Amino acid sequence: MKKYTKQFITALLFMIGLVCILLAASYVTVPKNNDPDSGIEQIDANGVLGEKPGTVDVLFLGDSEAHSTFVPLRIWSDTGYTSYNCGTGDQTLDYSYTLLKRVTKNQDLKIVFLEANAIYNLESKEILYAKLCDMLPVFRYHNRWKTLKRDDFTQKPEYTWTDPDKGYRFITDIVPCEEPEYLDQDYTDEKARIRPVNLYYVKRIKKLCDKKDIKLVLISSPSTSYFTYKRHNRTTALASELDCEFIDMNMMSEELGIDWSKDTRDEGSHLNYAGACKTTDWLSEYLTQTGLLTNHKEDPAYASWNDALAVFEDILEK
Amino acid sequence: MLTITTLFSFTYIELLVLAIIFYELFSQKGRRWVLLLFSYLFFYLISGKLICYLLFSTLSVHHFGIWLDDVQKEGKQQLKAVEKDQKKALSAKFKKKQNLIMGLAVVVHIGVLAVLKYSPFAISNINTVLRLLHISYSIDIPDYLVPIGISFYTLQAVSYLTDVYRKVIPADRNLLRLALFMSFFPEIMEGPICRYSDTAHSLWKAEKINYWNFIAGSQRIAFGIMKKLIVADRLNLFIKDVYLNFDNYDGFIIAVAMVGYTFQLYMDFSGTIDVALGSGQIFGVTLPENFRRPFFSRTISEFWQRWHITLGAWLKDYIFYPVSMSKRVTKLSMLAKKKYGNHVASLVAGSIALFCVWIANGIWHGAGWKYIFFGMYHFAFILCGNIVQPTVIKTAQRLHIDRNCLWYRIIQIIRTAILVCIGELFFRAHGLAAGIKMFRKMFTDFTFATLRDGSIFTFGMDPKDYIVLGAFALFLLVIGIIQEKGIIIRDEINKKNVVFRLAVYYVFILIIVIFGAYGADYLPVNPIYADF
């Protein structure tokens, strides 16, 4: 017994020592800013960390469907509401949750849109690894050993950079969809399956939103590739289970006026900027109707948003 | 389904940790089931429904083993009962029966492997011949899903059956024990290729996990992860690109990629084997070593005694000896002895057997002409070595050269390493024709331009990556020299006080975490030998 106790204590002390060393390594390797040269992961999405505290009201989470569909600066231009698009390619829901947690530390969000594609298409693989990276960032940023400077050993992270497009992926290419009649597929009452891990994270996202008094909305971007009635049915049921709203933009094609010969960049999988303008305009109207948001356009504290819009409009004109 | 990269992922570690926890929770009987269930779970995770091939192979091995055993026992009993003059005929009858059963068993096992792995290659060659003969008929090339590890567990199955046939071991009537031997999860993917007598009984013992086994096993796993993550995966981007687009690169880059690939393959394969051996050690099972510092070899022949040892030993026991001792080869050898003397006689027998071994070695690695070339390449050097060896020894004696002095050994080691690297160039190339072109480019298009302008550092690895690789190679060299002196480094570490040991562990873990080529900047790489 004495032998086992000694071995257990040795193992415990070893683990404590190891965690301390990895924490120290994490302190050194974690990027000290969030600008493109800093080495931070998912630069565009993490640009939200550089926004002034308490200035972002709306957040978009999800995969490439999210960052192709919602244009924060257009919402700003139309309504004066501040939003940020944290969509990233192949985003897994555990990462959506991580981003939401990061953002809610400094921002007083009013509405979070979770793009529903991520609930079905992606599996939150390697959860343990992702969690480990969150707890001990050295696992995520270990490769920064190549660019470490003296300041990395002493400085604390300070995020000062924000994405000029507020996370939106600006693409104007047109690759028309050859089969735009995707809603004509056979209707079914069946429901798609949501993997338990994804369901777990959707619930955690909802719980965090409730805790922070944030309205969670599930939303489906128009996509001829990913829409199915099974998914529509399951998301509708999920929204009901979670007691939140579900907006399926696929069911609003006439209202939105999506023209699949012009509004997609890759044969219907994702919208291009022209398509995103249509969905964003509808969303601006929706946001206004919620009555939860304030128009900050004339507020000097939000002057940087007008500067960002000016730059964005310059790019559009070019 | 998981990808096979999971052997080096947290998923494998999770599986191993869970297996250890469940293993410790049960009694000896339960522990056997835990190992078997986790072995099948792992195989299912990497191969899905193709697990049915493993199950079929296990059941068939069990059945043929018992059949052989029954025939042997029946023969023994009947031989006891008959008169002396009838014994020879009866013995021959039973031998014939055993040969038939053994033949059938080998056809079944090698047949499955041949159909799944080699039939597309065979058919594509038949189609080429038909085309050359201007025959418009062609056979559709099948596209089978091949279970991971089939080349490894098939060899284990054949070795078990042959050993039963040779009466080296008795047939195992316990299906569970045999199933565990065939499927033990740490070694199912890349080996080592185990013999029944090596592992079946220690697996079956399912002893409680011992503290020191746990520590030593974990050390070995960490060392394997270190090799794979720091070296093999770091080299991947560069190697992949150069071998795929060799036309865009000069001879110098190709030479660097050739050496780089040999280093990558060694680190990848031996790293995976370290993980397997370490995992086995945790459960108290000593799996056979597969590498013994191969790059200290002085000849190609010695290299293959140090590299993929279990495959070499398998080929030696189940191909080399049976062929060299077969009636026809013995007869030929005797004939050569009469005409040309002892040296030529031994060369004849050895060369025929060696040829069969190296054809088998090449084909085992894959269905393609480059693999056959790879086998013949090594056969040629080993054969040449055997032929010229007496002359070299005599010449060295006349010139008063000590063949064991350091500089002579170093020259031999470097020469062998170069020959091995060239062999691996063909092994990795996308086809034999590409391999020949790459080899030619090293002589016709050799320039240091990419080194002078620094562009070599833009092909997936920067100078810091080269420094890491260089440092690790140096580290391995030092470790290798110490091990060659017979010192077991892990034992030496374990003799030190706890503070020293902890410091060593922390440094190793930190090196893996910081310098490992994993995460968003790298692509996960499947263990290379899992494809063979």
Side-chain angles (χ1 to χ4, degrees), chain B residues 119-131:
Chain B
S119 62
F121 172 62
I123 292 171
S124 77
N125 281 301
I126 292 169
N127 286 343
T128 308
V129 173
L130 291 174
R131 225 177 13 254

Side-chain angles (χ1 to χ4, degrees), chain A residues 61-161:
Chain A
L61 296 168
D63 62 6
S64 54
E65 289 296 328
H67 74 43
S68 303
T69 306
F70 312 112
V71 194
L73 285 172
R74 193 169 174 94
I75 295 174
W76 169 258
S77 168
D78 291 347
T79 63
Y81 303 149
T82 52
S83 63
Y84 201 98
N85 196 329
C86 280
T88 57
D90 291 344
Q91 189 173 107
T92 52
L93 288 183
D94 63 293
Y95 191 59
S96 309
Y97 178 70
T98 301
L99 281 169
L100 181 61
K101 259 201 319 188
R102 276 182 204 166
V103 176
T104 50
K105 271 184 194 165
N106 287 319
Q107 301 295 341
D108 185 19
L109 298 173
K110 306 291 183 299
I111 303 176
V112 166
F113 289 94
L114 175 63
E115 213 293 329
N117 199 44
I119 300 173
Y120 298 98
N121 271 1
L122 307 164
E123 189 172 3
S124 297
K125 284 179 193 161
E126 305 281 14
I127 297 290
L128 183 66
Y129 176 65
K131 290 294 111 190
L132 198 65
C133 290
D134 288 345
M135 285 187 288
L136 298 164
V138 65
F139 283 97
R140 184 172 283 137
Y141 295 117
H142 63 97
N143 220 24
R144 282 198 68 241
W145 68 268
K146 290 181 179 177
T147 53
L148 284 182
K149 294 179 189 125
R150 192 173 289 175
D151 288 348
D152 283 303
F153 292 84
T154 53
Q155 228 176 39
K156 281 187 173 175
E158 194 184 342
Y159 302 122
T160 57
W161 181 86

Side-chain angles (χ1 to χ4, degrees), chain B residues 6-9 12-17 20 185-186 213-229 267 270-283 287 490 508-509 512:
Chain B
T6 48
L7 188 63
F8 286 93
S9 73
Y12 179 76
I13 304 295
E14 280 168 45
L15 195 86
L16 184 63
V17 170
I20 292 169
F185 72 96
N213 271 346
F214 181 79
I215 295 293
S218 305
Q219 287 170 347
R220 189 87 193 245
I221 291 173
F223 191 48
I225 291 174
M226 203 176 200
K227 287 175 177 177
K228 168 84 172 141
L229 289 189
M267 290 295 100
S270 69
T272 314
I273 292 294
D274 285 332
V275 172
L277 266 65
S279 304
Q281 189 165 7
I282 289 175
F283 296 109
L287 299 174
R490 282 190 297 159
F508 267 61
I509 292 172
I512 295 171

Side-chain angles (χ1 to χ4, degrees), chain B residues 209-267:
Chain B
I209 292 172
N210 155 312
Y211 177 75
W212 285 108
N213 271 346
F214 181 79
I215 295 293
S218 305
Q219 287 170 347
R220 189 87 193 245
I221 291 173
F223 191 48
I225 291 174
M226 203 176 200
K227 287 175 177 177
K228 168 84 172 141
L229 289 189
I230 295 179
V231 180
D233 290 1
R234 184 179 303 279
L235 278 159
N236 182 54
L237 279 177
F238 172 69
I239 302 291
K240 205 173 158 185
D241 186 35
V242 175
Y243 275 85
L244 195 65
N245 307 304
F246 66 89
D247 277 331
N248 302 338
Y249 297 107
D250 62 38
F252 173 67
I253 296 278
I254 290 173
V256 173
M258 175 184 80
V259 175
Y261 174 66
T262 309
F263 194 22
Q264 182 195 28
L265 183 65
Y266 177 37
M267 290 295 100

Side-chain angles (χ1 to χ4, degrees), chain A residues 183-228:
Chain A
L183 291 171
D184 292 346
Q185 59 184 273
D186 289 341
Y187 180 78
T188 173
D189 287 329
E190 286 176 34
K191 296 185 181 83
R193 178 178 174 266
I194 299 176
R195 291 183 176 95
V197 173
N198 285 353
L199 195 58
Y200 168 77
Y201 275 103
V202 176
K203 286 180 179 171
R204 288 197 76 174
I205 288 168
K206 169 67 177 160
K207 206 172 166 186
L208 183 58
C209 286
D210 287 348
K211 193 178 158 192
K212 300 275 182 183
D213 201 19
I214 301 166
K215 178 184 169 77
L216 175 69
V217 179
L218 304 182
I219 191 161
S220 256
S221 307
S223 170
T224 61
S225 303
Y226 301 121
F227 172 83
T228 65

